[in-house]
Amino acid sequence: MASMKTVTAIVALSVLTAGCSESSSETEASASGTTEAAPPPVEAGAPAPDDVATLDGVDFASLTGDAASGKSAFAQCRTCHVVDPGMNRVGPSLAGIVDRPAGTVAGFKYTQANAESGITWTEAKLNQFLEKPHRVIPKTKMIFAGIPDAQKRADMIAYLKNPS
């Protein structure tokens, strides 16, 4: 019989991966080989790809990030992401993310919403996304609520720019 720790670990892993899995309609479309030619409709309230306004109103240009603090803040992301090139986990590698178009890491299967978002991950767009990811890409499969503290977002972006 499984120990309580084992059962707890299995339940926790199930919850984590359930939020990261694609919806059944996406899976069925992939399995049948059908894809939609038209991009997904823009969700109400989702900012345009070039809109970088945050909910807290903090302009990214007014912040100075600290990469060392950002490395500590990134610890919460390590369950799903790494900064090593070519190494995907539940989420894609974040190596070289700054100024890269969304949905373009080789070997990672993105949701249609992410792949067709039209977003380029500038520092300002990352700032907006990290504040509340589901606001920026409503149908993302990422289960991260966001970072409300603008300075912590700036620190993490500084780390992502230069993770060494």
Side-chain angles (χ1 to χ4, degrees):
M1 181 168 200
S3 72
M4 188 60 160
K5 285 184 180 180
T6 303
V7 171
T8 303
I10 291 169
V11 170
L13 184 58
S14 296
V15 169
L16 178 63
T17 58
C20 295
S21 65
E22 294 183 78
S23 69
S24 61
S25 62
E26 288 178 33
T27 304
E28 289 166 11
S30 296
S32 67
T34 60
T35 57
E36 295 179 27
V42 175
E43 295 289 321
D50 60 347
D51 175 356
V52 295
T54 56
L55 294 172
D56 63 11
V58 177
D59 181 7
F60 182 75
S62 70
L63 301 167
T64 301
D66 175 64
S69 294
K71 182 176 184 175
S72 296
F74 187 75
Q76 64 186 316
C77 307
R78 289 190 199 286
T79 301
C80 298
H81 297 281
V82 294
V83 293
D84 303 315
M87 184 178 205
N88 297 322
R89 286 191 175 168
V90 172
S93 168
L94 297 181
I97 190 166
V98 177
D99 295 326
R100 182 176 68 214
T104 60
V105 171
F108 187 78
K109 186 174 188 278
Y110 289 92
T111 59
Q112 184 177 5
N114 192 312
E116 296 180 359
S117 67
I119 291 172
T120 296
W121 294 121
T122 63
E123 292 171 277
K125 193 66 177 183
L126 280 166
N127 180 52
Q128 180 191 56
F129 180 76
L130 289 171
E131 181 183 39
K132 191 170 183 182
H134 285 271
R135 173 180 170 249
V136 177
I137 303 179
K139 293 187 178 183
T140 183
K141 62 184 174 181
M142 191 166 91
I143 58 169
F144 178 62
I147 303 170
D149 184 298
Q151 185 59 56
K152 286 184 182 178
R153 294 191 309 263
D155 293 344
M156 187 174 302
I157 293 164
Y159 171 68
L160 291 171
K161 270 184 78 170
N162 188 11
S164 54

